[in-house]
Amino acid sequence: MSKYLDERYSSLAAYVPGEQPQDKKYIKLNTNESPYSPSKATLDAVNVGETELLRLYPDPDGKILTKKLADYYGVESKNVFLANGSDDILNFAFMAYCANGRKSYFADITYGFYSVFANLHNSDYTVIPLEEDFSIDAEKFCGVDGCVFIANPNAPTGLALSLSDVEKIVKSNPHNVVVIDEAYVDFGAESAVKLVDKYENLLVVQTFSKSRSMAGARLGFAIGNEEIIGDLHKLRYSTNPYNINRLTLAAGAATIDSQDYYDSNCKIIMETRAFVKEELEKLGFFVLPSKANFIFASSEDIDGGELYLKIKDKGVLIRHFTTERIKNFNRITIGTPEEMQIFIDKVKEILEEN
Ligand code: PMP
């Protein structure tokens, strides 16, 4: 840290992303990416012609992709906001609705970036503990006096709230924006997009990084009331109007055109998830019922941190968090059936070696 850094950032604890190691090839089950390649249509869209156009700025409004998403989700273009990954949108939401002492609320065990953004924007934030079983008690998020952030399904637990619980929270906070972060919704949870028409304070955030195999392209989107979307555009135009590059816009549009391919990948991932849960349970693990493309598991036979290190040594990367409440767990992304069979075999080996 230099002596020039503004004092208010000097104590900021930055977000620590999952490892992206370049030293050797791992079976990578640590950052919830899709194990499947983008569709042929998506790959074809990133072609020489499009690459030649890189000399020109992209459309700052991403009109083609915005319209495709609006049609796909049954809303209008004015209800759709695009950004450089959904992290970009969460940042704008904290900036717009929670900065400079304004209040925000999120769970103790949830996406780690919420507290980073809250600190970055100097939000007066309150952490609401999850229940003993890691579920969210919707009542505790009702009628609060600030903006609410809920990951649904939650990360890293994978547990999902019902749409009626989400609606209860949105309805009970009419004076504050409620952000439902649906990064993992396509793996079996219920989306709140259908509530956007009914509630002007609801902002639903999604991403192309997980179910749509585009983590490396950085593309997120939000759906909400026209005025909220307008707030986000204002902040985007005040920071970086060209925040989504031309190749990503083209890839995103082709992705929506080949949605069937992505839907079938999600189906395979959900089936693989059921297989992995069953296999881990046979080995004595406790596995939360996940609606995401990962599972969250612990064992009384091996410490979470130890399993993470030992399996890394055997070429499989999973995610371990040191937070007290979840330090015995690991979050394991669902890869291909072949990758997950190797994962299970390595877990068996480690338990036997112990
Ligand atoms: N929300 C949640 C709950 C996540 O786990 C992630 C992925 N780390 C994101 C948002 C951000 O995803 P992206 O910026 O790749 O869209």
Side-chain angles (χ1 to χ4, degrees), residues 15 31-32 84-88 90 111 114 151 153 155 181 183-184 206-210 215 218-220 331:
Y15 180 69
T31 47
N32 300 341
N84 191 293
S86 53
D87 283 338
D88 216 16
L90 297 168
Y111 185 32
Y114 301 159
D181 176 354
Y184 302 103
Q206 293 198 14
T207 178
F208 278 61
S209 296
K210 317 292 178 186
R218 313 303 301 126
L219 182 60
R331 192 194 68 191

Side-chain angles (χ1 to χ4, degrees), residues 119-354:
N119 283 316
L120 176 66
H121 296 296
N122 197 20
S123 177
D124 175 5
Y125 67 94
T126 302
V127 161
I128 300 180
L130 296 181
E131 303 308 289
E132 198 63 45
D133 62 358
F134 296 114
S135 64
I136 287 177
D137 178 356
E139 292 296 336
K140 294 187 178 160
F141 290 82
C142 286
V144 295
D145 55 352
C147 184
V148 174
F149 289 79
I150 292 183
N152 192 38
N154 198 10
T157 64
L159 298 182
L161 269 182
S162 67
L163 192 58
S164 62
D165 273 346
V166 170
E167 180 162 10
K168 206 188 312 175
I169 295 168
V170 176
K171 196 174 177 177
S172 74
N173 291 300
H175 304 300
N176 293 292
V177 172
V178 174
V179 177
I180 305 295
D181 176 354
E182 296 188 346
Y184 302 103
V185 76
D186 295 330
F187 303 99
E190 277 179 294
S191 174
V193 165
K194 51 174 88 69
L195 300 178
V196 160
D197 261 358
K198 216 166 147 190
Y199 298 99
E200 62 178 23
N201 61 325
L202 169 63
L203 183 69
V204 179
V205 179
Q206 293 198 14
T207 178
F208 278 61
S209 296
K210 317 292 178 186
S211 61
R212 293 184 172 113
S213 301
M214 271 177 56
R218 313 303 301 126
L219 182 60
F221 62 99
I223 297 182
N225 170 274
E226 184 182 0
E227 287 175 5
I228 290 188
I229 298 300
D231 299 339
L232 301 178
H233 278 302
K234 186 169 189 168
L235 296 181
R236 187 173 66 87
Y237 268 81
S238 305
T239 47
N240 179 8
Y242 302 115
N243 59 339
I244 309 169
N245 74 74
R246 191 174 264 288
L247 297 179
T248 295
L249 286 173
T255 293
I256 298 301
D257 288 340
S258 48
Q259 190 58 45
D260 286 354
Y261 165 80
Y262 295 99
D263 290 345
S264 76
N265 287 348
C266 287
K267 193 165 164 280
I268 300 168
I269 289 168
M270 287 188 275
E271 285 162 9
T272 313
R273 179 179 71 200
F275 161 78
V276 179
K277 182 172 192 286
E278 208 178 297
E279 291 298 307
L280 282 179
E281 282 172 349
K282 279 188 214 157
L283 296 174
F285 276 78
F286 169 66
V287 186
L288 286 178
S290 168
K291 297 272 189 202
N293 68 337
F294 56 82
I295 50 168
F296 201 50
S298 69
S299 164
E300 286 183 358
D301 299 327
I302 184 162
D303 172 73
E306 185 186 350
L307 176 63
Y308 157 77
L309 283 175
K310 288 199 162 155
I311 206 159
K312 183 176 178 186
D313 222 36
K314 292 178 185 287
V316 181
L317 266 188
I318 57 177
R319 187 88 193 256
H320 179 251
F321 299 91
T322 51
T323 313
E324 187 58 31
R325 221 183 141 177
I326 54 171
K327 68 181 191 329
N328 205 34
F329 282 77
N330 277 290
R331 192 194 68 191
I332 303 133
T333 304
I334 304 299
T336 62
E338 297 74 27
E339 287 174 324
M340 299 322 286
Q341 186 59 60
I342 297 172
F343 163 75
I344 295 290
D345 292 345
K346 302 285 176 202
V347 173
K348 271 186 205 158
E349 265 173 45
I350 291 165
L351 291 178
E352 278 160 19
E353 284 160 14
N354 266 26

